[in-house]
Amino acid sequence: MSSVAHRESESKNPYYYSRKEKSLGLLCSNFLNFYNQDGVDSIGLDDAANRLGVERRRIYDIVNILESVGVLSRKAKNQYFWKGFSAIPRALDELKEEALRENFSTSGVFHSANVSSLNHCGGPSNSKTVRKDKPSVSNKVDNRKEKSLGLLTKNFVKLFICSHEDLISLDNAATALLGDIHDPTAMRNNSAAKVRRLYDIANVFSSMNLIEKTQHPESRKPAFRWLGINGSSKNGPTSLEFNDSKRRVFGAEITNTLSKKSKSESSIDCNSNEKADMPMLMKHNNSKDTHDRSSMEQQGRYSSKGFVFGPFTPASVPKVGDSGNKNERRVKDLEDLASYRPQYHNQALSDLFAHYVAAWKSWNVEVDEKKQTQEVS
DNA sequence: TTTTCCCGCCACTGG
DNA sequence: CCAGTGGCGGGAAAA
């Protein structure tokens, strides 16, 4: 059965509305297609918004997420540097280091209250000791940053790179990143609302092939699998299916029918008038593949399969037995630290961290060897 | 019904 | 003051 080439009937119908065609993931794919080419080195938010045919607000979402992984970096107001997929590995390394550092020293975070600190248990982080009073005034000069999409993204990534072969369920991620969803005592923290951000992040990562949406083998629980650099890089975003060369058209949204703002419709110059046609430059990726020579096999694919994480992952995960044992000493301390959670003692969180620490241990050894091997220049 | 998550209001930020 | 940013969550499409 030939795939439905054109479903004109639908796309033509002015009242047709499909949520999928407007997904952040798709938008991100297009974004990447436009900028992931040699020659590009800076991005203008306005330009991006015009080319993609979306409101600027959406660009901020994408840009913030991409920046967390190193693909972009802020240059100035309205301007970003394009770093490319090749910048991801380094960014991940940094995140990893940062994660470790934080875990160890975070315990004493008492006043620093700044910089990105993996303040798990979400929320106003430190202080907030017992129940001093109402949550508002005593805040620092805004902990707005602490709730940013960018930070959330980084923490999300840390979850993966700090563990070995991963398949993290949505629930676990949500629990670790934001506070516990069903936290009993107080903190009716509206984390449920924040889970939306998790979906956003997952969608753009999916479009980059950094992760993949799946579900646990048995339980139907949704989960994310880390694909790493292999997935992304070189081929850039593998077009989802066919080319979804479909760009949003300004007046087409039925939701905007009563354009309240009549935004900047008459864009600066943006000569391109034809709307139904977009240069599908996605197919032939640029030839400058990121030097992923030898592919270094990345973290092995020997993923779970062996042991499945039940819906209620029992604490102490058996842990693979291949772990080395030279760093044991140091790790030991870490584990202690991990289990010592002064505030908001959250069972699930502790388990997660314990797991990550253990995973980190073995991974570290592996990397070490690898490094020696390919240690060249 | 629940899960996923788009849209855009409007508070905040940096000039 | 203003334009650029980006939390945040209502509520509707998708499963």
Side-chain angles (χ1 to χ4, degrees):
Chain A
M1 50 162 79
S2 58
S3 57
V4 199
H6 292 294
R7 40 189 56 182
E8 286 184 81
S9 54
E10 292 182 339
S11 52
K12 217 169 204 174
N13 183 336
Y15 299 112
Y16 175 67
Y17 172 84
S18 170
R19 221 174 175 225
K20 292 183 181 174
E21 296 175 359
K22 293 162 160 288
S23 75
L24 234 201
L26 203 52
L27 180 60
C28 183
S29 290
N30 290 333
F31 182 92
L32 260 20
N33 288 331
F34 275 125
Y35 298 102
N36 186 29
Q37 298 177 88
D38 43 317
V40 181
D41 57 343
S42 94
I43 299 175
L45 298 188
D46 290 303
D47 181 55
N50 291 337
R51 299 168 77 110
L52 297 173
V54 285
E55 321 78 69
R56 180 180 284 216
R57 181 68 193 75
R58 300 282 73 80
I59 300 298
Y60 291 129
D61 287 334
I62 292 179
V63 153
N64 282 326
I65 295 176
L66 293 182
E67 183 176 27
S68 296
V69 191
V71 177
L72 295 170
S73 74
R74 191 179 342 236
K75 184 204 298 183
K77 177 194 278 189
N78 230 296
Q79 288 293 307
Y80 274 79
F81 278 123
W82 170 259
K83 309 275 273 309
F85 287 90
S86 57
I88 294 179
R90 177 159 305 181
L92 294 185
D93 278 345
E94 288 173 18
L95 280 178
K96 191 176 63 194
E97 280 180 46
E98 193 179 298
L100 293 178
R101 193 169 311 146
E102 287 172 351
N103 286 332
F104 311 156
S105 59
T106 302
S107 56
V109 199
F110 207 53
H111 65 301
S112 50
N114 67 342
V115 271
S116 57
S117 59
L118 204 188
N119 56 2
H120 21 252
C121 298
S125 68
N126 49 47
S127 63
K128 174 63 168 305
T129 39
V130 196
R131 53 200 297 284
K132 199 52 182 292
D133 57 307
K134 65 231 183 123
S136 60
V137 185
S138 53
N139 288 334
K140 264 304 193 304
V141 228
D142 276 2
N143 43 342
R144 195 171 193 239
K145 269 266 189 70
E146 299 180 14
K147 301 176 183 178
S148 71
L149 218 202
L151 219 198
L152 221 196
T153 301
K154 286 182 179 175
N155 289 338
F156 181 69
V157 173
K158 286 174 186 174
L159 240 43
F160 285 104
I161 59 180
C162 284
S163 69
H164 218 163
E165 18 71 25
D166 260 42
L167 184 72
I168 298 179
S169 74
L170 175 64
D171 296 316
N172 287 341
T175 301
L177 267 31
L178 332 161
D180 190 327
I181 307 176
H182 292 158
D183 187 303
T185 52
M187 204 131 188
R188 59 300 204 84
N189 176 340
N190 47 14
S191 56
K194 289 186 180 174
V195 175
R196 278 178 233 143
R197 255 66 276 176
L198 222 44
Y199 287 121
D200 292 339
I201 296 172
N203 283 332
V204 340
F205 276 176
S206 289
S207 76
M208 293 171 72
N209 287 307
L210 259 181
I211 67 171
E212 171 186 53
K213 287 171 160 178
T214 15
Q215 56 193 176
H216 276 121
E218 281 136 38
S219 61
R220 284 279 87 107
K221 295 273 191 181
F224 305 119
R225 171 175 287 109
W226 181 255
L227 298 181
I229 304 57
N230 312 40
S232 56
S233 71
K234 45 185 179 167
N235 290 327
T238 50
S239 47
L240 309 183
E241 309 185 324
F242 223 3
N243 56 45
D244 40 78
S245 62
K246 152 172 301 183
R247 104 173 204 184
R248 304 186 190 185
V249 199
F250 276 113
E253 275 79 85
I254 67 171
T255 40
N256 293 357
T257 48
L258 46 109
S259 60
K260 52 197 68 218
K261 283 204 258 185
S262 72
K263 227 179 141 50
S264 60
E265 52 158 335
S266 59
S267 55
I268 315 168
D269 45 335
C270 187
N271 48 15
S272 61
N273 305 321
E274 62 274 69
K275 55 205 185 161
D277 154 276
M278 178 176 89
M280 43 193 92
L281 27 73
M282 47 175 37
K283 213 18 202 269
H284 75 292
N285 51 52
N286 53 345
S287 56
K288 60 178 307 178
D289 56 330
T290 57
H291 38 278
D292 82 349
R293 47 187 75 270
S294 79
S295 70
M296 63 199 290
E297 73 193 272
Q298 198 57 21
Q299 53 237 77
R301 233 354 19 117
Y302 49 89
S303 55
S304 47
K305 274 319 185 349
F307 61 101
V308 246
F309 284 68
F312 308 101
T313 310
S316 61
V317 178
K319 188 60 239 141
V320 218
D322 78 329
S323 61
N325 58 8
K326 44 176 63 179
N327 298 357
E328 294 257 342
R329 188 50 114 299
R330 189 175 68 185
V331 174
K332 193 59 194 298
D333 291 346
L334 307 184
E335 289 182 323
D336 287 346
L337 230 56
S339 24
Y340 176 62
R341 272 263 153 346
Q343 33 193 32
Y344 330 103
H345 198 98
N346 173 326
Q347 189 54 37
L349 187 66
S350 295
D351 294 341
L352 264 170
F353 268 95
H355 177 200
Y356 294 149
V357 171
W360 161 248
K361 176 179 61 182
S362 53
W363 188 72
N364 194 35
V365 174
E366 205 174 81
V367 171
D368 244 37
E369 300 176 336
K370 199 168 294 174
K371 194 161 291 179
Q372 287 183 306
T373 306
Q374 69 168 68
E375 170 59 338
V376 267
S377 61

